[in-house]
Amino acid sequence: MGLKSPEHITDYMMDSNEEDEDEMLQELFLAGKLKPGLNIPVEKKIFVNDVEKLKSKLNSIKTDLPWMERFDIINEQAELAPELSVELKEQEEFVKTGRSDNLALNEFKRETMFHRQAQLAAMEGLARVKAQGIPTIRPNDYFAEMMKTDEHMQKVRHSLLEKQAGLERSEKVKKMRTERKLAKKKQVESTLRKQKDKRELMENIKKYRKGMRTDLDFLENKSQQDNPSRKVNKKRQMKNEKFGFGGKKGKFKNNNIDSKPKNKRPGKSRRNKMKKK
């Protein structure tokens, strides 16, 4: 290995990983290049599959309880779902192209195996339970005693109601703020529009006074803007066309001097004077 001094050994250990360090130290110790007492050789652990001892231990902890008390099932895996099959193929392609490592693929396969085995165990267990006449669905009139007291649940309910009321208040305040902002914005826009109209009106009046403008159309436009046309009531319009607007038709009021009839007969004093003559 070319390691002749402790300095060389230290440099090599800094540049190597843990497995390389263990192998290197064992080789150096066996070659007699390390002082005894500082390092202890690591013996390779041998794993023994002692089937008889395992069965003996299983029998010692095994109980003779009925299946109803154990619900243990030994089964194979369920059929692979189509979507999982497609995903598994995609993971294999990722490993082939180098976009994923083999460890991720093994983890996915392991999780899929657990899922398939649990799925089939649930299906077989449910069928076995139904075959023995054991109910698996809680009746509609079944009432179970709760672990928490009614007083505790009332506190929880009160807390939830307070939280909901707080959220409603917050939403209401937020809505009011939004409406207030919109109203303020409309008020500002209306004020600016009035100022603009007033400014344009004063400019048109100045132009008219200076003779730069001879028409007064801007006054009519201003009047139309101030008094927008109302929606015509068709029913009222039909009655006006049929019956008119009330009052006498085709006549004028006769309470003035022009409306009074002309009387050609002279007055009484004048007639008396005429008689004296």
Side-chain angles (χ1 to χ4, degrees), residues 25 140 233:
L25 290 174
N140 295 329
N233 191 337

Side-chain angles (χ1 to χ4, degrees), residues 62-109:
K62 188 176 180 180
T63 59
D64 295 332
L65 295 174
W67 184 81
M68 281 287 302
E69 301 294 335
R70 294 181 285 110
F71 285 105
D72 56 339
I73 294 178
I74 300 175
N75 60 286
E76 299 294 332
Q77 300 178 20
E79 295 183 2
L80 187 63
E83 58 272 14
L84 291 178
S85 178
V86 172
E87 190 171 354
L88 183 59
K89 291 181 180 178
E90 291 179 354
Q91 292 289 341
E92 292 176 352
E93 292 294 330
F94 289 160
V95 173
K96 291 179 181 180
T97 56
R99 287 181 289 176
S100 178
D101 54 359
N102 196 20
L103 180 62
L105 178 61
N106 293 337
E107 289 291 337
F108 179 74
K109 287 183 178 179

Side-chain angles (χ1 to χ4, degrees), residues 150-166 169:
D150 292 341
E151 183 180 359
H152 178 80
M153 295 307 298
Q154 288 294 334
K155 290 181 179 179
V156 173
R157 182 174 179 272
H158 182 68
S159 176
L160 292 175
L161 290 176
E162 285 186 350
K163 185 176 181 181
Q164 183 179 1
R169 285 194 299 269

Side-chain angles (χ1 to χ4, degrees), residues 182-277:
L182 290 175
K184 187 175 181 180
K185 183 179 179 182
K186 290 182 179 179
Q187 184 179 4
V188 172
E189 291 177 353
S190 177
T191 303
L192 293 176
R193 186 173 60 254
K194 289 180 180 179
Q195 293 176 356
K196 180 182 177 182
D197 294 341
K198 184 177 180 180
R199 204 163 43 245
E200 291 178 354
L201 178 63
M202 297 303 296
E203 290 178 356
N204 290 325
I205 292 175
K206 290 180 180 179
K207 290 180 180 179
Y208 180 79
R209 288 178 178 177
K210 293 179 179 180
M212 299 171 61
R213 183 168 184 169
T214 57
D215 60 304
L216 297 175
D217 296 338
F218 59 89
L219 296 177
E220 296 179 359
N221 296 334
K222 183 67 172 61
S223 178
Q224 291 177 1
Q225 292 177 1
D226 294 339
N227 301 310
S229 58
R230 296 181 180 178
K231 188 176 181 181
V232 179
N233 191 337
K234 294 184 178 180
K235 187 176 181 180
R236 179 74 266 171
Q237 186 178 2
M238 291 175 62
K239 287 186 177 182
N240 291 339
E241 293 177 356
K242 184 176 181 181
F243 302 105
F245 296 93
K248 297 181 179 180
K249 306 297 187 292
K251 294 184 179 180
F252 298 95
K253 294 182 179 180
N254 52 5
N255 58 352
N256 52 20
I257 191 169
D258 296 329
S259 63
K260 292 181 180 181
K262 301 293 183 180
N263 191 0
K264 297 181 179 180
R265 183 182 179 186
K268 186 176 181 180
S269 60
R270 189 174 179 185
R271 289 197 307 270
N272 292 332
K273 289 180 180 179
M274 291 174 65
K275 287 179 180 181
K276 292 177 179 181
K277 292 180 179 179

